[in-house]
């Protein structure tokens, strides 16, 4: 183990030496005041919908700091934060965020915005779930009819939600009809479209991709009066500078401050794709919401 | 290196007029092309500088285990790029041995992983080319009083077409791979659409993920054109006899 590490250091060191001559030149033209960048790891849903470009452009205008957004799944985004390779994490799986905070990697979590999940599927609707208001029943019907279901299978927020719904429905999905794609939301929607099959999608990505798809919404989420189980809240957490020295904590907090400010929340509110609002801001409120700062099941007696 | 890249940018510019009508901005495409070329050409240049001496050394010496070394180099040609990406990720990650240099999600990290990918290819093909030079050539060079360096240069000159093929194969491997640059580069573009670590391959992957297959195809066509162009230039420089 130690030998391998030394080997890595040796080879990598050689490479950096070799690279040293040609670094720096591609950074030269960015004339940030602070010459600093903020690394944000996030989910494909906030990235692929185009929302982040809008928010980040406004943030960059205001702070003169470039935001480097890396689109990963929720699981990968948090993992990158854990290893200290990002400064701030924007994700949508409360259980995973809680774990992240509990383990000490994240601080100052805020509720950011929400949209909802929907179940999409083909026109001929083999499981006959169209218009159901109970998503667990819909999932049961899909399993009973063994209709093709494409799972994200990538530890993303959507995948986490999907597993929670199967759990709620009392089904352990397996068999040929259940396919784990291991890819991002956009790819899974494409797959579901071409297979065709059902899948769980966040409304934002679905709307922004709708024009390319033949599948459509079968079970609505809470935004269109569907079940609360399909709620999709997004949170934002700064990486703990106590654990990772190099975490750019002040910029991370500036970013969190900006995106949860009235101005940032307005950008979210006004962001539309094909005339539809994708995300609903929930950070600005007159009433305190203490629950957003701590893990959901946290109590003050805890050590 | 930088001169080489900047001399290629006008070439890129010269055919961007054909693509500005497509559904993305000129700045976006140009910066992606620039990042792709910068990363891959730098990686290949460093790879070449490392590969040629290794190829010469291995090609012209006899030592126990030589067969094993050659096998190792040839195996390296088939290294899966995602695995290389993972290894580089662990190396440059904040918790890895190079953590202090803050290389995660930078073009430098991408150059590192493409270096690892291209080196075995260039070494392997050059080694084959160098080994095929008859001993007589080498002996004659020595006989004429050449130093080791002189002899090496003579051999490189003799084997130049094979070596060039190796370099081009290495470039092809570097510029067309998506697995490792996606992992260590993060496919980042700034909010005004300028690529930071987005290459043609990762851009194609992103467009395909979002279902914009036409755009993905156009970017793919640009990538193929670029590789063709670079091949053409290198072949022309080499006298067009490969």
């Amino acid at each position: 183990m130690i030998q391998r590490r030394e080997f890595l250091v040796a080879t990598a060191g050689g490479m950096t030496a070799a690279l040293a001559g040609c670094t720096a030149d591609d950074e030269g033209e960015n004339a940030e005041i602070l010459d600093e960048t903020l690394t944000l790891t996030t989910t494909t849903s906030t990235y692929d919908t185009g929302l982040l470009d809008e928010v980040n452009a406004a943030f960059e205008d205001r702070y003169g700091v470039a935001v480097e957004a890396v689109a990963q799944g929720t699981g990968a985004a948090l993992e990158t934060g854990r290893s200290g390779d990002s400064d701030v994490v924007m994700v949508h799986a409360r259980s995973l965020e809680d774990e992240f905070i509990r383990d000490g990697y994240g601080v100052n979590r805020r509720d950011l915005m929400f949209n909802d999940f929907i179940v999409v599927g083909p026109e001929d609707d083999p499981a006959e779930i169209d218009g159901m208001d109970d998503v667990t029943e819909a999932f049961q019907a899909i399993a009973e009819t063994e209709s093709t279901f494409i799972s994200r299978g990538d530890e993303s927020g959507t995948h986490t939600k999907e597993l929670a719904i199967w759990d709620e429905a009392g089904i352990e999905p397996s068999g040929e009809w259940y396919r784990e794609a291991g890819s991002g939301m956009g790819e899974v929607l494409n797959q579901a479209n071409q297979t065709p099959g059902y899948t769980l999608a966040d409304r934002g990505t679905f709307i922004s991709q709708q024009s390319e798809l033949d599948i459509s919404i079968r079970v609505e989420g809470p935004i269109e009066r569907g079940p609360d189980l399909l709620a999709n809240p997004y949170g934002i957490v700064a990486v703990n500078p106590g654990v990772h020295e190099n975490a750019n904590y002040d910029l991370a907090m500036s970013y969190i401050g900006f995106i949860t400010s009235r101005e940032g929340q307005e950008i979210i509110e006004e962001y539309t794709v094909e005339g539809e609002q994708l995300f609903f801001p929930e950070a600005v409120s007159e009433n305190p919401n203490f629950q957003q700062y701590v893990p959901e099941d946290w109590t003050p007696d805890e050590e | 290196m930088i001169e080489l890249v900047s001399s290629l940018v006008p070439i890129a510019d010269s055919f961007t007029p054909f693509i500005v009508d497509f559904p993305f901005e000129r700045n976006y495409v140009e910066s992606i092309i620039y990042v792709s070329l910068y990363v891959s050409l730098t990686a290949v240049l460093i790879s070449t500088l490392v590969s040629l001496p290794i190829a010469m050394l291995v090609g012209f010496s006899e030592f126990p285990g030589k067969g094993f070394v050659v096998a190792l180099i040839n195996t390296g040609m088939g290294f899966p790029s995602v695995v290389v990406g993972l290894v580089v990720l662990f190396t440059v990650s904040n918790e890895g041995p190079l953590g202090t240099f803050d290389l995660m999600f930078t073009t430098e990290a991408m150059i590192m992983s493409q270096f690892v990918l291209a080196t075995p290819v260039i070494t392997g093909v050059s080694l084959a080319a160098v080994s095929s030079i008859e001993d007589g050539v080498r002996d004659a060079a020595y006989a004429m009083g050449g130093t080791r360096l002189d002899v090496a240069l003579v051999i490189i000159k003799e084997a130049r077409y094979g070596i060039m093929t190796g370099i081009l194969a290495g470039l092809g491997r570097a510029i067309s791979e998506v697995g490792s640059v996606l992992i260590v580069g993060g496919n980042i573009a700034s909010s005004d659409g300028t690529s930071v670590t987005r290459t043609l391959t990762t851009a194609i992957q992103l467009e395909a993920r979002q279902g914009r297959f036409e755009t993905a195809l156009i970017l793919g066509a640009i990538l193929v054109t670029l590789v063709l162009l670079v091949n053409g230039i290198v072949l022309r420089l080499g006298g067009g006899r490969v």
Side-chain angles (χ1 to χ4, degrees):
Chain A
M1 185 63 216
I2 291 162
Q3 277 167 341
R4 201 182 66 193
R5 209 177 158 86
E6 273 171 4
F7 168 73
L8 275 179
V9 176
T11 39
M15 274 194 277
T16 352
L19 291 176
C22 39
T23 51
D25 60 276
D26 62 329
E27 309 271 325
E29 56 207 40
N30 301 352
E32 289 97 59
I33 308 166
L34 299 168
D35 196 30
E36 279 184 56
T37 52
L38 175 72
T39 308
L40 163 73
T41 45
T42 183
T43 71
T44 48
S45 54
T46 52
Y47 194 87
D48 289 0
T49 50
L51 172 74
L52 272 187
D53 281 342
E54 202 88 353
V55 173
N56 292 352
F59 178 78
E60 284 168 21
D61 271 354
R62 173 100 172 241
Y63 288 84
V65 170
V67 181
E68 300 196 333
V70 184
Q72 302 173 317
T74 290
L78 287 168
E79 198 51 47
T80 309
R82 268 169 204 266
S83 55
D85 291 316
S86 74
D87 305 312
V88 58
V89 182
M90 185 195 296
V91 289
H92 62 144
R94 189 63 195 264
S95 57
L96 299 178
E97 290 164 54
D98 287 350
E99 205 184 307
F100 185 68
I101 300 170
R102 270 191 190 284
D103 295 347
Y105 294 104
V107 285
N108 299 66
R109 182 194 176 280
R110 290 293 311 272
D111 282 343
L112 179 61
M113 59 188 184
F114 65 94
N115 67 5
D116 60 356
F117 292 106
I118 48 183
V119 181
V120 295
E123 282 316 310
D124 61 351
D125 194 20
E128 295 179 357
I129 61 167
D130 196 27
M132 277 191 181
D133 6 278
D134 190 340
V135 65
T136 51
E137 274 174 33
F139 270 42
Q140 279 158 356
I142 291 172
E144 271 158 30
T145 56
E146 304 210 333
S147 312
T148 307
F149 186 95
I150 320 273
S151 165
R152 286 281 293 274
D154 64 348
E155 298 250 342
S156 60
T158 310
H159 187 215
T160 310
K161 173 63 80 177
E162 181 215 310
L163 295 179
I165 298 171
W166 287 118
D167 202 43
E168 194 94 347
I171 292 168
E172 209 160 294
S174 64
E176 265 192 38
W177 58 274
Y178 185 76
R179 300 184 191 168
E180 295 204 24
S183 343
M185 192 70 258
E187 280 158 326
V188 166
L189 279 170
N190 285 332
Q191 270 192 42
N193 191 45
Q194 272 162 19
T195 305
Y198 295 97
T199 192
L200 182 75
D202 66 282
R203 192 185 291 270
T205 310
F206 177 72
I207 291 175
S208 60
Q209 222 169 296
Q210 204 168 16
S211 57
E212 322 266 346
L213 300 171
D214 298 322
I215 46 176
S216 50
I217 300 177
R218 296 283 155 248
V219 178
E220 288 281 4
I223 289 174
E224 297 290 337
R225 286 188 295 281
D228 284 340
L229 185 56
L230 290 177
N232 181 21
Y234 288 79
I236 186 161
V237 199
V239 172
N240 186 358
V243 174
H244 290 297
E245 233 178 285
N246 64 330
N248 209 333
Y249 179 70
D250 58 345
L251 275 187
M253 290 309 291
S254 304
Y255 189 81
I256 295 178
F258 177 77
I259 202 170
T260 55
S261 70
R262 278 179 191 267
E263 189 186 344
Q265 296 278 294
E266 246 163 56
I267 296 172
I268 294 171
E269 174 91 46
E270 282 161 14
Y271 186 72
T272 56
V273 167
E274 302 190 4
E276 288 197 62
Q277 182 179 352
L278 298 190
F279 296 98
F280 297 80
E282 61 170 347
V284 176
S285 159
E286 273 186 30
N287 304 314
N289 167 15
F290 301 126
Q291 216 258 312
Q292 64 183 319
Y293 304 107
V294 293
E296 267 184 316
D297 53 352
W298 186 82
T299 54
D301 321 319
E302 236 177 87
E303 278 300 304
Chain B
M1 183 68 241
I2 293 133
E3 290 78 55
L4 183 52
V5 173
S6 43
S7 70
L8 276 166
V9 168
I11 297 164
D13 280 346
S14 68
F15 67 92
T16 35
F18 300 107
I19 54 179
V20 283
D21 291 338
F22 293 114
F24 32 57
E25 285 154 29
R26 189 191 164 110
N27 173 40
Y28 179 66
V29 180
E30 277 179 7
S31 62
I32 289 176
I33 293 175
Y34 175 78
V35 170
S36 278
L37 284 178
Y38 169 70
V39 168
S40 298
L41 290 177
T42 312
V44 166
L45 181 82
I46 302 170
S47 289
T48 307
L49 295 179
V50 172
S51 298
L52 290 189
I54 297 177
M56 304 290 277
L57 272 178
V58 176
F60 286 110
S61 49
E62 293 301 329
F63 53 92
K66 181 176 173 179
F68 179 70
V69 171
V70 174
L72 212 61
I73 293 170
N74 290 337
T75 309
M77 291 199 213
F79 255 2
S81 63
V82 277
V83 175
V84 172
L86 279 178
V87 172
V88 175
L89 172 87
F90 289 132
T91 313
V92 301
S93 165
N94 184 48
E95 297 188 320
L98 291 186
T100 45
F101 295 101
D102 236 346
L103 292 172
M104 189 70 183
F105 304 133
T106 61
T107 43
E108 285 78 45
M110 295 157 74
I111 291 171
M112 277 170 70
S113 63
Q114 292 199 347
F115 167 81
V116 177
L117 285 169
T119 302
V121 176
I122 302 178
T123 311
V125 178
S126 306
L127 178 61
V130 168
S131 305
S132 68
I133 303 295
E134 283 170 31
D135 288 347
V137 174
R138 191 163 50 120
D139 296 341
Y142 268 126
M144 289 168 77
T147 61
R148 286 177 76 95
L149 183 68
D150 292 333
V151 176
L153 288 178
V154 165
I155 289 163
I156 287 184
K157 186 158 181 273
E158 283 299 309
R160 64 185 179 279
Y161 299 116
I163 290 174
M164 218 176 299
T165 310
I167 295 174
L168 286 178
L171 179 68
R173 174 114 160 106
I175 204 167
S176 63
E177 72 90 24
V178 57
S180 80
V181 285
L182 188 62
I183 293 175
V184 302
N187 194 25
I188 298 168
S190 67
S191 55
D192 66 356
T194 309
S195 162
V196 179
T197 60
R198 183 167 298 169
T199 63
L200 282 162
T201 52
T202 56
I204 291 168
Q205 198 259 3
L206 175 76
E207 298 296 337
R209 176 172 90 208
Q210 301 183 357
R212 291 193 293 264
F213 296 116
E214 292 84 3
T215 318
L217 274 176
I218 293 166
L219 288 171
I222 295 175
L223 177 60
V224 173
T225 314
L226 264 187
V227 176
L228 201 67
L229 220 65
V230 174
N231 271 273
I233 293 167
V234 174
L235 289 191
R236 172 130 297 205
L237 292 178
R241 215 206 77 188
V242 176

